[in-house]
Amino acid sequence: MVRIVYLNYGLLDMMFFEEEEREAIESFWAIFGTTNTPRNTGGVRVLDVNQALNEKDFGGYQIGVVAKEVA
C-alpha cells in the first residue's frame, strides 16, 4: 500500500493506493492534475510518497493541519 501526502491549497491531506508507487503517483495526478498545469505547481503539491501498512498509518503526519512550505 502506498501513502501519498500532499498539500491541497495549504491543507495537509493524504491518499492511499493499493498499487505500486509509480502507478499510485499516476493515479493521484489523474485525480488532481490538469493537462495544462505542470505537476506540483498551483494548489496541489505532493510532499511525500511512501509505503503504509494500512489506511490508519499516517506516517507521523496529521491530516488537516495548515502547512506552509518554506523555500
Side-chain angles (χ1 to χ4, degrees):
M1 176 170 284
V2 175
R3 174 185 56 245
I4 297 180
V5 180
Y6 61 98
L7 286 178
N8 190 356
Y9 291 91
L11 200 64
L12 192 71
D13 206 350
M14 61 186 70
M15 292 181 81
F16 296 89
F17 295 90
E18 287 285 348
E19 301 172 338
E20 295 295 321
E21 187 173 310
R22 185 177 305 254
E23 290 83 16
I25 293 169
E26 291 302 320
S27 294
F28 176 85
W29 286 116
I31 295 168
F32 285 106
T34 62
T35 55
N36 297 326
T37 306
R39 294 176 178 181
N40 275 347
T41 62
V44 177
R45 294 178 179 263
V46 173
L47 298 178
D48 183 45
V49 178
N50 220 323
Q51 295 295 315
L53 298 175
N54 55 38
E55 292 87 6
K56 295 178 182 178
D57 180 2
F58 293 160
Y61 292 98
Q62 186 176 354
I63 295 177
V65 171
V66 176
K68 183 177 180 181
E69 285 190 84
V70 179

